[in-house]
Amino acid sequence: MVQKYQSPVRVYKHPFELVMAAYERRFPTCHLIPMFVGSEVVNEEVSEDGSVHRVERRCALDVDAPRLLKRIAGVDHVYFNQKNTLNKRERTLHIESRNESFSNRVVVHETCCYSVHPENEDWTCFEQTASLDIKSFFGFESTVEKIAMKQYASISAWILQNLNQSMLTPLLLGNCTLCCWTSYLEHPGDPCTGSSSNLKVFNSVADKLDADYIKRYLGDLTPLQESCLIRLRKWLQETHKGKIPKDEHILRFLRARDFNMDKAREILCQSLTWRKQHQVDYLLETWNSPQVLQDFYTGGWHHHDRDGRPLYILRLGQMDTKGLVRALGEESLLRHVLSINEEGLRRCEENTKVFGRPISCWTCLVDLEGLNMRHLWRPGVKALLRIIEVVEANYPETLGRLLILRAPRVFPVLWTLVSPFIDENTRKKFLIYAGNDYQGPGGLVDYIDKEIIPDFLGGESMCEVPEGGLVPKSMYRTPEEVESEDVRLWTETIYQSSSIFKGAPHELVIEIIDAASVITWDFDVCKGDIIFNIYHSKRAPQPPRKDPLGAHGITSPGLNNVQLIDKSWTLGQDYSMVESPLTCKEGESVQGSHITRWPGFYILQWKFHSMPACSATNLPRVDDVLATLQVSSHKCKVMYYTEVLGSEDFRLVTTLP
């Protein structure tokens, strides 16, 4: 597997031309990089107008590798090739470096770019990406790749903090990191061999702003973790044309999967699709809790804990779970819990501003006094498990600590039922107290200030959390009414879902009367890769025959699949293509529109996409191959929404701020 690194964009408050002048001073060698022995120009080109200057160099490194290793390799130094393209008109410098020595075992590819700051032409931006592929390292390829990548990220951070301001030596970054990385791969026991005795700390204000932002809003991140965040955010910007989540939100999913990019990306994409489908971003503005919840749901927000985390109190032992389920249904309870989580995210942002440090999670205090066997009513436990499942999937790393107080003897039974559905990392945050144990040392006062402890727990603070009680049976609904309400809430979305199989595309027909209409679409590729097409036909396609065996209930809308284009139809005669095919990969969010030229019937088609066969001249990317292998069946899934607008309405929508 290829390891990748991407740095944040660094800003240096110096003009581009001055930066370039300092950059050239490193060649043919530089005393500030003792390991950089020298360089020779292999090829040099200048455009006719003199605006573009291309230079290819062969650079030598004095690597402190064992003499035997050097003799085996047949070199005294390690060499790498560097290609620079300086565009004076656009004020950019692109640098591409690859190792020449040991390339049969190790492939290091680094690209750097210097450019003018988009908002201040007197500043210069620097961005760096790198990849490492160890082809053969005595069976330890994967381990060495990960170790080397961590070392590379650490070296990059070290160089950024130890640069000589007088020479603008942040410009030494591009080659020095590659040199150090190559050195480490051939002699992994050594740190960076460059001498730091002549280096001073670079006090760039913009550099400090980068560090301050991370420290202020995100917390302590290693360079590798920072790189993962930047890469995942960049991927989202390229594939999701809609609303991109904040860094704090992306970081929660990375932490939930120990910064495994592929795993974090998968669960984040699933969650973003879920949020979009159920309009969760607007839940706080649209959800109005029924009166029965306001009166009998024994939970509420109450100040904050000692760490500044928002504190939520739930008096579960006093809650009539059976009564709430009978009066409301499972979906209403789920919506209410989701609104609590959304409110928790909002409060975390507020507390981050108030306390001046990143607050990304909250503390939950659960009082179990009064818990008994009636709380183990099967439909109530089922609703609880469903809520836990949804929250675990979409709000990872939002619970900082869970304090369970006054746990009775029946609690182990409840814990046995729910604990398998709780992530192991989340379970580690549980602190359970039986009886009055929470009042002594190591108890509640270690986490919550005395003046904030609720009065019903012996504290001084008046708590406005409802006391609960039994829900009157007069408020109960019939099972049919509860089911109808659950269905209404479940289907309360503008999006539809469909499964797409190999050889069985999903198609949607739209009849257009006014030729000046605009067809708009918004869809997410939830699973697999698909091809999106738009066709036009003068005659209406026949609706598919209903298959009673293939009918699905409203609780499983994702299994619908409709084919409209008859197999006897010929492309170019019976129907025509009006847009170029669009290939969309798993996780992508796609929005677009088509201005109709003719009246008739427009068919939107989502079709299963098969990866092309590998060839020696056109090899696919490793990520593409791995993604294909992960698709265990010939099945894709999309979630989509379409709308037809008049041309005037479409122009109005697109011009609104």
Side-chain angles (χ1 to χ4, degrees):
M1 179 179 178
V2 178
Q3 295 288 327
K4 298 180 180 180
Y5 172 80
Q6 181 168 345
S7 74
V9 177
R10 306 289 180 180
V11 180
Y12 303 110
K13 292 192 173 182
H14 302 284
F16 178 79
E17 287 71 22
L18 180 60
V19 169
M20 291 300 99
Y23 174 80
E24 288 297 327
R25 292 180 62 182
R26 83 177 67 177
F27 302 106
T29 185
C30 179
H31 72 279
L32 290 175
I33 314 179
M35 66 186 307
F36 187 58
V37 177
S39 61
E40 60 176 328
V41 176
V42 177
N43 187 33
E44 187 171 7
E45 298 177 3
V46 180
S47 62
E48 292 184 1
D49 60 359
S51 61
V52 180
H53 184 196
R54 296 184 178 88
V55 180
E56 182 178 353
R57 293 184 178 93
R58 187 170 188 256
C59 304
L61 308 177
D62 184 13
V63 179
D64 188 19
R67 182 174 299 276
L68 178 61
L69 183 58
K70 290 184 178 181
R71 289 183 62 184
I72 294 175
V75 295
D76 291 327
H77 303 107
V78 173
Y79 293 90
F80 67 91
N81 294 319
Q82 181 202 69
K83 296 181 180 179
N84 291 358
T85 302
L86 173 63
N87 191 316
K88 297 179 182 179
R89 182 178 299 168
E90 297 180 0
R91 301 176 76 191
T92 60
L93 173 65
H94 293 278
I95 307 168
E96 183 176 2
S97 303
R98 293 178 182 270
N99 65 305
E100 177 182 314
S101 302
F102 307 104
S103 58
N104 61 327
R105 292 185 178 274
V106 180
V107 177
V108 180
H109 182 207
E110 182 183 54
T111 59
C112 302
C113 178
Y114 292 98
S115 60
V116 178
H117 193 284
E119 298 178 2
N120 190 326
E121 62 179 12
D122 292 330
W123 294 354
T124 304
C125 295
F126 171 80
E127 190 170 8
Q128 170 194 33
T129 60
S131 64
L132 166 68
D133 183 11
I134 297 183
K135 298 180 178 180
S136 176
F137 218 91
F138 312 107
F140 296 97
E141 289 79 11
S142 178
T143 302
V144 174
E145 282 176 352
K146 294 177 181 178
I147 294 175
M149 177 57 69
K150 291 181 180 179
Q151 183 73 8
Y152 175 81
S154 300
I155 291 170
S156 298
W158 177 86
I159 292 171
L160 284 171
Q161 295 174 358
N162 294 273
L163 296 172
N164 189 309
Q165 188 174 6
S166 63
M167 275 192 61
L168 297 182
T169 48
L171 311 172
L172 297 174
L173 175 64
N175 285 343
C176 189
T177 46
L178 180 60
C179 300
C180 295
W181 194 2
T182 309
S183 172
Y184 174 77
L185 289 172
E186 305 307 336
H187 197 46
D190 288 351
C192 179
T193 57
S195 173
S196 61
S197 59
N198 297 324
L199 300 183
K200 300 178 181 179
V201 177
F202 181 71
N203 293 318
S204 165
V205 175
D207 230 14
K208 286 186 176 180
L209 287 177
D210 288 339
D212 287 347
Y213 167 75
I214 294 172
K215 183 177 180 181
R216 176 73 170 75
Y217 295 100
L218 305 179
D220 294 329
L221 297 177
T222 67
L224 192 58
Q225 292 172 343
E226 187 179 323
S227 174
C228 289
L229 173 61
I230 294 168
R231 288 163 53 201
L232 185 51
R233 182 179 60 193
K234 184 176 181 181
W235 182 85
L236 288 171
Q237 290 170 341
E238 293 173 350
T239 58
H240 285 61
K241 306 306 179 185
K243 184 178 179 181
I244 302 299
K246 297 180 179 179
D247 287 346
E248 299 93 315
H249 192 76
I250 299 174
L251 195 56
R252 288 187 179 99
F253 286 84
L254 283 167
R255 284 172 171 155
R257 291 298 179 267
D258 297 323
F259 287 87
N260 183 305
M261 279 283 295
D262 293 334
K263 293 180 179 179
R265 180 170 54 190
E266 180 182 359
I267 62 173
L268 176 57
C269 288
Q270 292 174 355
S271 179
L272 291 177
T273 301
W274 170 83
R275 294 181 68 88
K276 191 174 184 179
Q277 182 176 10
H278 297 288
Q279 301 291 287
V280 179
D281 288 337
Y282 310 102
L283 191 61
L284 291 179
E285 292 80 17
T286 58
W287 171 249
N288 295 315
S289 298
Q291 190 62 43
V292 64
L293 277 174
Q294 299 177 31
D295 295 337
F296 295 97
Y297 190 88
T298 56
W301 295 99
H302 181 74
H303 301 288
H304 55 79
D305 67 5
R306 287 183 179 270
D307 296 321
R309 297 167 175 167
L311 176 63
Y312 189 82
I313 294 178
L314 180 64
R315 304 184 68 177
L316 185 60
Q318 304 298 316
M319 187 183 297
D320 181 11
T321 53
K322 179 178 180 179
L324 289 175
V325 172
R326 293 289 298 273
L328 293 170
E330 187 177 303
E331 290 300 324
S332 290
L333 279 176
L334 175 59
R335 287 291 178 96
H336 186 65
V337 173
L338 294 181
S339 70
I340 293 171
N341 280 269
E342 289 298 305
E343 174 67 16
L345 294 176
R346 188 187 67 80
R347 287 175 178 260
C348 284
E349 290 185 7
E350 289 182 354
N351 285 18
T352 295
K353 298 176 183 178
V354 171
F355 291 97
R357 62 178 183 273
I359 307 235
S360 60
C361 53
W362 55 82
T363 292
C364 185
L365 187 155
V366 181
D367 179 24
L368 294 183
E369 185 182 47
L371 188 76
N372 54 46
M373 292 301 295
R374 67 183 173 87
H375 290 90
L376 302 182
W377 181 58
R378 184 179 180 85
V381 173
K382 176 177 173 291
L384 177 61
L385 295 179
R386 167 100 188 286
I387 290 171
I388 291 174
E389 183 181 22
V390 173
V391 171
E392 282 284 309
N394 298 285
Y395 298 92
E397 296 298 315
T398 53
L399 180 65
R401 184 180 296 115
L402 182 66
L403 302 169
I404 298 178
L405 275 55
R406 302 198 279 194
R409 293 182 178 180
V410 73
F411 173 71
V413 180
L414 179 62
W415 179 250
T416 301
L417 292 173
V418 303
S419 59
F421 294 86
I422 302 174
D423 183 76
E424 183 179 355
N425 290 333
T426 304
R427 291 201 300 266
K428 294 177 181 178
K429 302 172 183 177
F430 284 36
L431 295 173
I432 303 173
Y433 300 91
N436 294 321
D437 291 347
Y438 69 93
Q439 296 179 348
L444 204 55
V445 291
D446 286 2
Y447 308 103
I448 304 174
D449 291 331
K450 288 184 178 180
E451 59 270 19
I452 292 179
I453 296 177
D455 53 348
F456 63 85
L457 293 174
E460 303 173 2
S461 180
M462 295 296 295
C463 186
E464 298 180 357
V465 174
E467 295 183 0
L470 295 176
V471 178
K473 292 186 177 181
S474 60
M475 304 182 73
Y476 285 11
R477 298 185 183 183
T478 64
E480 291 76 15
E481 291 174 331
V482 170
E483 182 179 359
S484 175
E485 178 66 10
D486 283 349
V487 169
R488 184 187 71 80
L489 291 173
W490 174 254
T491 58
E492 198 176 66
T493 174
I494 61 175
Y495 291 89
Q496 301 181 57
S497 297
S498 178
S499 291
I500 301 163
F501 302 89
K502 191 171 185 179
H506 177 68
E507 295 163 345
L508 175 71
V509 63
I510 298 175
E511 184 177 5
I512 296 296
I513 306 298
D514 182 3
S517 300
V518 179
I519 301 174
T520 66
W521 57 84
D522 177 0
F523 65 86
D524 289 64
V525 185
C526 307
K527 179 181 179 182
D529 299 343
I530 61 104
I531 297 176
F532 178 64
N533 290 302
I534 305 179
Y535 301 103
H536 173 262
S537 174
K538 294 182 180 179
R539 58 171 172 158
Q542 295 298 319
R545 292 178 298 175
K546 292 185 178 180
D547 181 4
L549 297 178
H552 301 286
I554 197 69
T555 57
S556 57
L559 298 178
N560 297 329
N561 178 270
V562 178
Q563 298 180 65
L564 297 170
I565 299 177
D566 194 276
K567 293 182 178 180
S568 63
W569 282 19
T570 302
L571 183 63
Q573 297 180 7
D574 301 288
Y575 66 110
S576 60
M577 182 178 293
V578 296
E579 288 276 359
S580 299
L582 179 64
T583 302
C584 309
K585 295 187 177 183
E586 180 175 326
E588 288 193 20
S589 179
V590 181
Q591 295 83 37
S593 61
H594 173 76
I595 301 175
T596 60
R597 298 176 59 185
W598 316 281
F601 300 90
Y602 287 80
I603 303 170
L604 277 60
Q605 180 192 75
W606 291 268
K607 185 178 180 181
F608 183 91
H609 175 55
S610 300
M611 287 290 294
C614 298
S615 65
T617 57
N618 186 23
L619 294 176
R621 296 186 300 112
V622 173
D623 291 345
D624 294 337
V625 176
L626 293 177
T628 305
L629 295 176
Q630 291 174 354
V631 180
S632 58
S633 62
H634 299 301
K635 174 183 174 182
C636 302
K637 184 178 180 181
V638 295
M639 182 185 75
Y640 64 91
Y641 167 73
T642 62
E643 185 177 6
V644 178
L645 301 173
S647 57
E648 294 297 327
D649 294 333
F650 181 74
R651 280 195 287 268
L652 176 62
V653 171
T654 55
T655 56
L656 288 176

